[in-house]
């Protein structure tokens, strides 16, 4: 798809829990010198409580939250300000909702195997999202984006390599 050349861009870092959205998103924003928003910080408390009880979110739970994030993306787009935002964005229609804020939203999909993801989740401490069953539900909901929607990178690489590879792909897409 052809998009008008712009001096700013909005970037979504997506993937299931433990794929590295917060870590890679923050690093990417730092490398690009732009703001980072962690989608998790915008969940209503009811969603956090539900996940902390080990109950996966459903479409209804995610609706208002995705609306909030789409609104933030739209706001940055309107102001021609750059942004990296982390959000699981598991289903195609969730991404469509986020793209309603910026049709040229660039997407980095962090892809990993069940084993890689479980290892990352079990070594992480102090987070409300835990447990193998929760990861299973995320993998069941995941509709992986194709190359028409996203740049896909495997989480086995170091954070620095992932950020550099994505930035290189952006340059070739946008220049
Ligand atoms: N490429 C990587 N290599 C090694 N460790 C990583 C990498 N990416 C992330 N990590 C580590 O893996 C763990 C999970 O990463 P992170 O919290 O960023 O995932 P997340 O997708 O934001 O998860 P959630 O959606 O549950 O918040 C963290 O401890 C993080 O430091
Ligand atoms: O869509 C969802 O089910 C949720 O957003 C989860 O993905 C959490 O936000 C996150 O992964 C936990 O940290």
């Amino acid at each position: 798809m052809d998009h008008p050349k712009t001096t700013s861009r909005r970037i979504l870092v997506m993937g299931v829990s433990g794929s590295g959205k917060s870590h890679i998103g923050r690093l990417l924003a730092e490398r690009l010198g732009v703001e980072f928003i962690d989608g998790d910080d915008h969940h209503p408390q009811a969603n956090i409580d539900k996940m902390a009880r080990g109950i996966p979110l459903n479409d209804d739970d995610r609706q208002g939250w995705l609306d909030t994030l789409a609104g933030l993306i739209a706001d940055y787009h309107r102001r021609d300000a750059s942004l990296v935002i982390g959000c699981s964005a598991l289903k195609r229609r969730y991404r469509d909702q986020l793209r309603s804020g910026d049709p040229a939203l660039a997407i980095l999909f962090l892809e990993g195997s069940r084993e890689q993801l479980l290892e990352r989740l079990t070594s992480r401490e102090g987070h409300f999202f835990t447990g193998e069953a929760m990861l299973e539900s995320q993998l069941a909901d995941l509709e992986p984006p194709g190359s028409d929607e996203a740049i896909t990178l495997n989480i086995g690489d170091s954070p620095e390599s992932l950020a550099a590879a994505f930035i290189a792909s952006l340059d070739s897409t946008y220049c």
Side-chain angles (χ1 to χ4, degrees):
M1 201 191 302
D2 258 0
H3 295 298
K5 201 165 177 170
T6 169
T7 50
S8 68
R9 57 195 156 203
R10 273 59 52 196
I11 296 167
L12 165 69
V13 181
M14 63 158 286
V16 300
S17 186
S19 59
K21 300 178 294 289
S22 307
H23 193 100
I24 308 302
R26 210 163 264 124
L27 184 66
L28 198 54
E30 210 179 280
R31 292 281 185 275
L32 294 168
V34 307
E35 277 187 60
F36 174 69
I37 292 179
D38 197 329
D40 276 352
D41 294 341
H42 294 270
H43 271 302
Q45 191 59 42
N47 283 1
I48 305 269
D49 293 345
K50 194 170 179 185
M51 288 188 273
R53 290 201 307 275
I55 306 168
L57 301 184
N58 58 33
D59 289 347
D60 286 345
D61 298 322
R62 292 179 180 129
Q63 200 49 49
W65 172 62
L66 288 167
D67 259 349
T68 303
L69 300 186
L72 286 167
I73 292 169
D75 176 55
Y76 276 72
H77 185 209
R78 228 179 349 258
R79 294 189 285 110
D80 201 24
S82 292
L83 169 72
V84 176
I85 187 164
C87 168
S88 45
L90 300 175
K91 301 186 184 182
R92 171 96 195 201
R93 64 180 180 279
Y94 299 170
R95 298 189 288 276
D96 288 341
Q97 199 173 340
L98 296 174
R99 267 190 292 261
S100 71
D102 178 359
L105 184 69
I107 304 184
L108 166 57
F109 170 43
L110 295 171
E111 168 205 62
S113 67
R114 180 176 274 99
E115 292 67 34
Q116 282 173 309
L117 291 159
L118 204 53
E119 197 205 307
R120 295 275 163 86
L121 282 174
T122 44
S123 52
R124 182 174 69 171
E125 283 174 7
H127 196 286
F128 59 82
F129 194 101
T130 50
E132 197 167 345
M134 291 291 276
L135 174 61
E136 284 309 323
S137 81
Q138 296 251 304
L139 290 170
D141 276 356
L142 177 66
E143 295 169 5
S147 55
D148 59 324
E149 273 199 277
I151 302 292
T152 298
L153 297 175
N154 185 275
I155 64 169
D157 284 341
S158 72
E160 289 72 20
S161 314
L162 291 170
F166 183 69
I167 289 169
S169 81
L170 265 189
D171 288 342
S172 61
T173 313
Y174 279 79
C175 293

